[in-house]
Amino acid sequence: ASKESDLPTTARESGLPATPQTSAHMSSMEEELQLASTHKWEESLWEAAILVGLPTAGRVGSVALTAGIVLNVVLQVALCWLISSDSFAKRDLPTVDETRRWRETVGHDARQMDRFTGVSLARRVCEQDGALHIGTEQVQSLYNIIQYTRGELPMAGIFACGMVILLWFFYVSQEMRNLLGFTIGLLHVPRGGHTRIARIDNEGGEKTFSLESITLHRLSMMFVL
């Protein structure tokens, strides 16, 4: 009876026999669940924000963390604004409608035709005639398109763009995994009237810190960040 009472509640309620194999299996499950809800603090400013206002960080550390977070937010907002502004997102290539309108009007205008060869301006642009004194912008746009789609390597521009997007996806997915692990770890921390961080002395003299409890106010602040 004493052995059965030492088993986890789930084993007693499920009616499984109290065998050493069952005990080992339940212990393994408990360890896996504990590891799944455990998150190791990353060397990140966002995760270090949980220390703001705690004696562990001190006044100087809390001020430095707050200043770093505010500066980080300001820089990211400024970067997003700069990228979305017209000065940064200027188009280097004309649209399809603009190109069609140029070809139907200026490109085949008889006044723009070469009087000696009888070649239209549109054809000279398509052939990237180096003797053109007008239409150089259209020639440059055509050259950029050819380099992007038919450079030294076939579809080199599209391949390079795809590689950049793939690397960006891997980086963002890693950040999302870290964020998810940090969120799950915070949700498993007991709520309390005070945020407590305990120091643990491991074997070999290594010292680690464990978040024992967290206030609802601080938890809400971390979710906002």
Side-chain angles (χ1 to χ4, degrees):
S2 60
K3 292 184 178 180
E4 291 183 359
S5 61
D6 294 337
L7 290 176
T9 306
T10 52
R12 297 199 307 268
E13 293 178 353
S14 61
L16 293 175
T19 61
Q21 292 79 3
T22 304
S23 301
H25 178 68
M26 296 305 300
S27 299
S28 177
M29 290 180 59
E30 288 182 350
E31 291 178 0
E32 291 180 1
L33 291 175
Q34 185 176 4
L35 289 175
S37 59
T38 302
H39 175 77
K40 183 179 179 180
W41 274 345
E42 300 287 341
E43 296 180 358
S44 169
L45 183 63
W46 303 110
E47 295 191 13
I50 200 172
L51 301 175
V52 174
L54 295 179
T56 305
R59 293 184 178 180
V60 177
S62 297
V63 172
L65 284 174
T66 303
I69 293 171
V70 172
L71 179 61
N72 204 327
V73 171
V74 170
L75 290 178
Q76 291 195 24
V77 171
L79 181 62
C80 293
W81 174 81
L82 178 63
I83 293 176
S84 60
S85 63
D86 295 335
S87 59
F88 188 87
K90 182 181 179 181
R91 292 186 294 109
D92 293 331
L93 297 176
T95 63
V96 176
D97 293 335
E98 291 172 346
T99 304
R100 183 182 294 110
R101 186 166 60 252
W102 177 88
R103 178 166 184 162
E104 292 174 352
T105 55
V106 180
H108 289 287
D109 190 348
R111 292 172 296 181
Q112 306 295 338
M113 182 182 297
D114 191 332
R115 292 179 299 175
F116 300 100
T117 60
V119 179
S120 65
L121 177 61
R123 182 174 178 180
R124 296 183 66 185
V125 168
C126 293
E127 294 177 352
Q128 303 182 55
D129 190 348
L132 276 173
H133 66 286
I134 59 175
T136 54
E137 183 176 352
Q138 285 75 22
V139 173
Q140 184 63 41
S141 299
L142 179 62
Y143 174 79
N144 293 337
I145 294 174
I146 292 176
Q147 287 296 107
Y148 187 83
T149 56
R150 302 193 302 264
E152 296 181 0
L153 296 176
M155 310 297 287
I158 299 177
F159 178 75
C161 181
M163 288 297 297
V164 171
I165 294 176
L166 185 63
L167 292 175
W168 174 84
F169 172 77
F170 287 152
Y171 177 79
V172 172
S173 62
Q174 180 64 32
E175 290 294 323
M176 294 300 297
R177 288 182 59 186
N178 293 337
L179 176 61
L180 182 61
F182 183 61
T183 303
I184 294 175
L186 285 179
L187 291 176
H188 283 81
V189 176
R191 310 294 179 267
H194 300 279
T195 301
R196 294 178 52 197
I197 296 180
R199 188 180 70 177
I200 303 175
D201 296 330
N202 298 326
E203 297 181 359
E206 183 182 1
K207 298 179 180 180
T208 59
F209 294 89
S210 175
L211 186 61
E212 299 293 335
S213 64
I214 187 172
T215 61
L216 184 60
H217 175 74
R218 189 176 297 272
L219 181 64
S220 302
M221 181 193 70
M222 295 305 301
F223 282 157
V224 171
L225 290 177

